[in-house]
Amino acid sequence: MKNKGALLVISGPSGAGKSSIIKELLKQIPNAVFSISTTTRNKREDEVDGVNYHFTDEKSFQKEIEEGAFLEWANVHGCFYGTSLKQIVKFLDEEKLVILDIDVQGYMLLKKRLKRYITSVFLTTKNIEELKARLLLRQSDSKTEVKKRLKNAIAEMNYINRYKYLVINDDFKTAFAQMLNIAHSALNKRSLIDSDKFIQTWKRAKKAK
Ligand code: 5GP
């Protein structure tokens, strides 16, 4: 039986450590790939176009929306972010574990379309003070940007119970171990995706001579 891939959706406030955890997951799970989103936000110094994101302008983003290029898209912190439909379909066909770093709006949309494939995790800090400290330490965003991100974080926290798992990134090692377990369970879950087909084959099987 040919299994399809699986989607591991990771959401949570900016600064909670999603990128660092994803980087480690990609190193440790050979079959895992990252869904590179398209965004209109400015590139940060440590980011690479085509690796972290596909950076684009609003005009091109709008054009892609019209062409139906996105599986989901959202306006987050005043910029546009979208998940490429083509990329996800390709990865699922290749039976990959696709890791998506998307916001709560994107997750809600994705759940409507691809629920069977999704394992979802909300990753956050132990409290807002810790989040603020991390955002300020990161120094990649201006003070106004940090304020905006903190405000959004409070709103996003209300969606926690829509996710299957909650991981608190207080100690990185512990949080990563939890995430690795969840990623493996997402990979195991995919064996159920083609269950109808499996049942048919199972019923038709002949005794080996
Ligand atoms: P950042 O600007 O810090 O990289 O990301 C800001 C927010 O946008 C994060 O919450 C991240 O999860 C979210 N995000 C990144 N890519 C996508 C996407 O393709 N779709 C949606 N809906 N959100 C995204």
Side-chain angles (χ1 to χ4, degrees), residues 40-89:
T40 60
R41 135 162 111 59
N42 289 333
K43 189 170 86 63
R44 294 183 186 132
E45 234 171 65
D46 60 342
E47 289 177 325
V48 179
D49 191 12
V51 175
N52 305 91
Y53 283 106
H54 296 292
F55 294 95
T56 189
D57 53 38
E58 280 199 22
K59 202 173 158 212
S60 313
F61 196 94
Q62 288 299 338
K63 191 165 168 263
E64 285 197 68
I65 293 177
E66 282 155 29
E67 289 167 354
F70 298 123
L71 185 55
E72 64 73 34
W73 64 270
N75 185 320
V76 193
H77 320 303
C79 297
F80 291 101
Y81 295 83
T83 302
S84 155
L85 172 66
K86 216 161 128 188
Q87 189 183 222
I88 296 292
V89 170

Side-chain angles (χ1 to χ4, degrees), residues 10-15 18 37-39 41 44 47 53 72-74 76-77 81-84 101-107 138 141 149 156:
I10 306 177
S11 300
S14 300
K18 283 174 291 175
S37 298
T38 303
T39 183
R41 135 162 111 59
R44 294 183 186 132
E47 289 177 325
Y53 283 106
E72 64 73 34
W73 64 270
V76 193
H77 320 303
Y81 295 83
T83 302
S84 155
D101 173 349
I102 57 174
D103 85 318
V104 295
Q105 308 170 71
Y107 166 56
R138 186 155 91 174
D141 304 309
R149 280 168 188 258
E156 282 198 297

Side-chain angles (χ1 to χ4, degrees), residues 196-207:
D196 293 344
K197 207 164 138 200
F198 173 67
I199 292 165
Q200 291 310 320
T201 333
W202 188 86
K203 282 186 195 160
R204 277 201 306 270
K206 299 237 166 61
K207 233 184 183 176

Side-chain angles (χ1 to χ4, degrees), residues 47-192:
E47 289 177 325
V48 179
D49 191 12
V51 175
N52 305 91
Y53 283 106
H54 296 292
F55 294 95
T56 189
D57 53 38
E58 280 199 22
K59 202 173 158 212
S60 313
F61 196 94
Q62 288 299 338
K63 191 165 168 263
E64 285 197 68
I65 293 177
E66 282 155 29
E67 289 167 354
F70 298 123
L71 185 55
E72 64 73 34
W73 64 270
N75 185 320
V76 193
H77 320 303
C79 297
F80 291 101
Y81 295 83
T83 302
S84 155
L85 172 66
K86 216 161 128 188
Q87 189 183 222
I88 296 292
V89 170
K90 177 179 171 281
F91 285 155
L92 285 179
D93 280 345
E94 290 169 358
E95 304 185 23
K96 301 282 189 199
L97 174 70
V98 192
I99 304 178
L100 296 100
D101 173 349
I102 57 174
D103 85 318
V104 295
Q105 308 170 71
Y107 166 56
M108 300 309 287
L109 289 168
L110 209 64
K111 214 161 101 166
K112 280 193 191 142
R113 300 184 74 175
L114 293 172
K115 194 168 180 226
R116 284 184 99 182
Y117 293 87
I118 299 176
T119 299
S120 60
V121 193
F122 194 93
L123 182 81
T124 188
T125 51
K126 64 178 177 194
N127 57 42
I128 193 160
E129 274 310 304
E130 180 62 29
L131 186 68
K132 189 175 175 185
R134 287 192 200 173
L135 281 172
L136 289 172
L137 196 76
R138 186 155 91 174
Q139 287 182 336
S140 53
D141 304 309
S142 66
K143 283 246 166 73
T144 352
E145 190 61 31
V146 168
K147 251 192 179 164
K148 196 160 50 172
R149 280 168 188 258
L150 278 175
K151 202 171 150 226
N152 276 346
I154 297 166
E156 282 198 297
M157 294 294 288
N158 292 322
Y159 285 83
I160 281 185
N161 60 13
R162 312 278 182 110
Y163 288 76
K164 173 128 196 212
Y165 300 101
L166 167 67
V167 173
I168 315 284
N169 187 9
D170 190 18
D171 169 61
F172 183 84
K173 257 187 162 171
T174 313
F176 178 68
Q178 277 178 276
M179 290 294 299
L180 197 57
N181 269 332
I182 295 168
H184 283 299
S185 86
L187 273 170
N188 289 330
K189 187 179 157 184
R190 73 186 172 161
S191 60
L192 278 175

